[in-house]
Amino acid sequence: MKSSNDQSVTQMLHDAKKICIVLATGILSDLKIQNYKYDISIAVRELGLDKELVAQLVDDYVAQVIKAVVQFEDYLSTLQNSQDNHDDLDYTAFRELAHKNLGVARNLRIKDAEILLYELMKKDNLDYLLACLEALKVCAIKLRPKCAYDTFKLIEVKSSL
């Protein structure tokens, strides 16, 4: 019988896959990320690193992206408030965070994340950016579900302190 954590990870992955399909066939269909599956061997070959090291770097990337989603959501909230108040929108911090994460995704050859982070850097429509951000989160969950789950739990514990 599966443990409670295993069931939670399985459920989170199932939900992420459903959300990914909705986004990838809807508002983000032009990005053509629906059927993407990460191939670690590409990064291993192109970077000249062993598979275990690349796998650890991918885990680190997933944790980084999950943590960055919280920051992205804060930035989007600030942008939405500025838009609601008819103020000028300053995307600088949002785009800098996207650029930082884009570099890591490129280095690890994570193509769906590259596409989404590029969109986060270049687009101005807040609803579209929110969809890209949600897709980025579910792509990270699909990439390493257990790592994503553990990171969410860590964030939850830290925020309760």
Side-chain angles (χ1 to χ4, degrees):
M1 185 166 201
K2 280 188 169 185
S3 73
S4 174
N5 281 351
D6 289 344
Q7 289 174 339
S8 297
V9 170
T10 301
Q11 183 62 49
M12 183 182 70
L13 178 59
H14 174 74
D15 293 346
K17 286 179 178 179
K18 285 176 31 180
I19 292 167
C20 191
I21 290 169
V22 169
L23 292 171
T25 59
I27 191 169
L28 304 178
S29 62
D30 290 346
L31 301 181
K32 302 192 184 334
I33 59 172
Q34 179 180 359
N35 296 318
Y36 176 75
K37 181 156 175 42
Y38 181 66
D39 184 353
I40 196 169
S41 66
I42 294 170
V44 168
R45 183 179 64 252
E46 291 181 5
L47 297 173
L49 301 172
D50 65 57
K51 188 174 181 176
E52 292 76 28
L53 179 56
V54 174
Q56 180 58 53
L57 292 171
V58 170
D59 284 348
D60 292 346
Y61 162 78
V62 168
Q64 176 182 319
V65 164
I66 298 299
K67 291 173 188 173
V69 165
V70 174
Q71 288 178 281
F72 277 124
E73 288 171 345
D74 288 344
Y75 293 148
L76 276 179
S77 178
T78 299
L79 288 166
Q80 186 64 56
N81 288 337
S82 294
Q83 182 174 292
D84 292 347
N85 293 327
H86 306 289
D87 295 334
D88 289 336
L89 302 182
D90 182 4
Y91 291 88
T92 305
F94 186 88
R95 291 187 172 141
E96 286 174 352
L97 183 58
H99 186 265
K100 179 177 112 177
N101 284 280
L102 176 60
V104 178
R106 278 186 180 149
N107 288 339
L108 293 171
R109 311 323 194 248
I110 305 170
K111 298 298 181 192
D112 58 350
E114 283 184 52
I115 292 166
L116 291 164
L117 287 159
Y118 184 80
E119 292 293 294
L120 290 172
M121 285 179 47
K122 300 296 178 186
K123 302 295 180 170
D124 293 337
N125 179 300
L126 297 182
D127 290 333
Y128 182 79
L129 291 174
L130 185 60
C132 288
L133 183 58
E134 187 66 19
L136 181 66
K137 180 172 71 175
V138 297
C139 288
I141 291 168
K142 286 175 35 187
L143 185 59
R144 291 287 197 270
K146 178 73 168 100
C147 179
Y149 176 81
D150 291 344
T151 304
F152 281 123
K153 285 297 177 187
L154 180 63
I155 290 169
E156 185 180 301
V157 168
K158 281 185 173 182
S159 67
S160 72
L161 299 177

